[in-house]
């Protein structure tokens, strides 16, 4: 069974990079589009994960603590963004993914500067 996933990015390059990474998964209807006027703030989206490995990019989101920067996932995987402070998201990626791969794909997107929309 497939599940819809949607993510927002600051740049077209970020969105296209994730589209390329999605080619290793069983996906359908993968699309990248530009948002006229940027993200409107009318959806609940989850912040990217800071601190990455394996060639992914980080955006620095997280909290500075005694051990350095703690990834946002440690602080609460479902942390919503400040809806007014992220109008610089100008690109959206949408895809249908296998339900059993959804969490892995969601985390991959978040490790690559994607702001994943909460659809539940």
């Amino acid at each position: 069974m497939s599940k819809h996933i949607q993510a927002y990015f600051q740049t077209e390059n970020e969105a296209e990079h994730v589209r390329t990474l999605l080619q290793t998964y069983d996906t359908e209807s993968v699309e990248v589009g530009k948002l006229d006027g940027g993200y409107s703030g009318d959806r609940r989206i989850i912040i990217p994960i800071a601190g990455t490995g394996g060639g992914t990019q980080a955006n620095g989101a997280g909290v500075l603590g005694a051990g350095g920067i703690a990834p946002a996932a440690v602080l609460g995987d479902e942390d919503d963004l400040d809806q007014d402070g992220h109008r610089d998201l100008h690109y959206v990626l949408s895809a249908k993914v296998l339900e059993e791969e959804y969490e892995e794909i969601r985390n991959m997107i978040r490790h690559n500067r994607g702001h994943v929309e909460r659809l539940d």
Side-chain angles (χ1 to χ4, degrees):
M1 177 175 265
S2 64
K3 190 170 181 176
H4 182 83
I5 193 163
Q6 189 157 304
Y8 300 89
F9 299 87
Q10 291 181 350
T11 69
E12 183 177 16
N13 285 343
E14 291 170 347
E16 291 294 343
H17 176 69
V18 169
R19 182 202 306 238
T20 301
L21 293 175
L22 284 174
Q23 291 177 2
T24 62
Y25 296 93
D26 188 6
T27 60
E28 298 176 18
S29 307
V30 180
E31 298 177 6
V32 170
K34 183 171 171 78
L35 299 170
D36 293 331
Y39 172 71
S40 64
D42 61 350
R43 295 182 169 93
R44 293 177 60 190
I45 55 179
I46 305 166
I47 61 176
I49 298 172
T52 60
T56 57
Q57 303 172 357
N59 75 342
V63 173
L64 189 58
I69 295 179
V74 173
L75 302 172
D77 193 50
E78 302 300 317
D79 288 340
D80 292 332
L81 287 173
D82 170 8
Q83 299 298 324
D84 295 324
H86 289 82
R87 299 201 191 284
D88 57 346
L89 302 173
H90 294 283
Y91 291 88
V92 61
L93 177 141
S94 178
K96 288 184 182 177
V97 302
L98 292 178
E99 192 167 351
E100 57 268 20
E101 293 180 335
Y102 178 84
E103 291 299 320
E104 180 180 344
I105 290 170
R106 183 181 78 154
N107 287 333
M108 179 273 294
I109 292 170
R110 292 178 66 211
H111 275 286
N112 286 279
R113 302 179 64 117
H115 300 73
V116 179
E117 182 174 350
R118 289 186 65 176
L119 298 172
D120 50 12

